[in-house]
Amino acid sequence: MNQGLQVPYGCYYLSDSGYCNANGFLTPYRGQRYHLKEFDGHRPETPQEYFNMKHFKARNVIERCFGLLKGRWKILASPSFFSIQTQVRIIMACCLLHNLIRKYMSHDPQEDEEEEEEKESGSEDESEDVEYVTNISPSDEWSEFRNNMSTNMFNEWRNR
């Protein structure tokens, strides 16, 4: 029985600013520096800037992982006409094989190809594909959660 996207309690998805900051979806602060090139030569001055910098770095790692998987396993790079259950199994198999390769290969040529493609395209993280989530709404509670998290992260960073 499909009940839609469910976020486990205490977990969240890092979302871009096209989404709202809502329960289970953590977005960057709007109107603050976000991309790494905007921090070039500048240290974050506020909890919001620090949070955005860390948010971007984490999303960048996640996007790079998806890029590596899609580069290695072409079946993941295009729409699938298999049943959802089969798609889940394909994704799991690709991830398991990818991890096995990473465990036993000291050098992964797929990573070199991915880095070269990024340099040639000049893209950092900008994805043109936008998907819309229509069943969530902004939450004051979630905004407070983000504010507390960003303040704690910033204070820990400054006190190091």
Side-chain angles (χ1 to χ4, degrees):
M1 175 180 205
N2 185 359
Q3 297 178 1
L5 179 63
Q6 294 182 345
V7 182
Y9 181 76
C11 298
Y12 48 84
Y13 290 101
L14 294 180
S15 305
D16 66 25
S17 59
Y19 294 91
C20 64
N21 197 52
N23 192 13
F25 297 88
L26 198 57
T27 62
Y29 288 95
R30 292 183 179 165
Q32 302 288 325
R33 284 185 241 189
Y34 182 67
H35 295 93
L36 294 183
K37 62 186 167 198
E38 295 172 341
F39 287 100
D40 191 28
H42 302 282
R43 290 171 52 102
E45 297 175 4
T46 65
Q48 293 81 10
E49 283 187 351
Y50 186 74
F51 177 86
N52 278 6
M53 181 183 73
K54 290 300 201 175
H55 187 282
F56 180 81
K57 284 182 176 183
R59 278 194 59 226
N60 202 21
V61 168
I62 293 164
E63 292 293 331
R64 188 164 186 275
C65 290
F66 282 121
L68 284 170
L69 283 169
K70 287 166 48 175
R72 172 169 279 136
W73 312 110
K74 299 301 182 198
I75 193 167
L76 300 177
S78 58
S80 177
F81 300 101
F82 292 107
S83 70
I84 295 295
Q85 184 179 16
T86 301
Q87 289 181 52
V88 168
R89 288 180 177 153
I90 290 169
I91 293 167
M92 291 296 290
C94 291
C95 290
L96 290 169
L97 288 169
H98 174 80
N99 288 343
L100 188 67
I101 290 168
R102 297 277 317 227
K103 182 176 181 178
Y104 291 104
M105 284 182 71
S106 59
H107 176 75
D108 186 353
Q110 180 67 33
E111 288 188 36
D112 294 340
E113 287 179 26
E114 185 73 20
E115 287 173 6
E116 191 61 37
E117 287 175 14
E118 284 177 11
K119 287 177 188 174
E120 289 174 6
S121 69
S123 69
E124 259 182 76
D125 176 17
E126 304 298 325
S127 174
E128 296 299 321
D129 298 327
V130 178
E131 293 184 31
Y132 299 96
V133 176
T134 58
N135 60 347
I136 62 170
S137 58
S139 161
D140 290 338
E141 178 185 347
W142 204 249
S143 292
E144 185 178 331
F145 171 77
R146 179 181 64 179
N147 290 340
N148 290 336
M149 177 187 281
S150 63
T151 300
N152 290 338
M153 289 168 59
F154 184 69
N155 289 338
E156 285 180 25
W157 173 69
R158 275 196 329 197
N159 293 331
R160 281 196 269 155

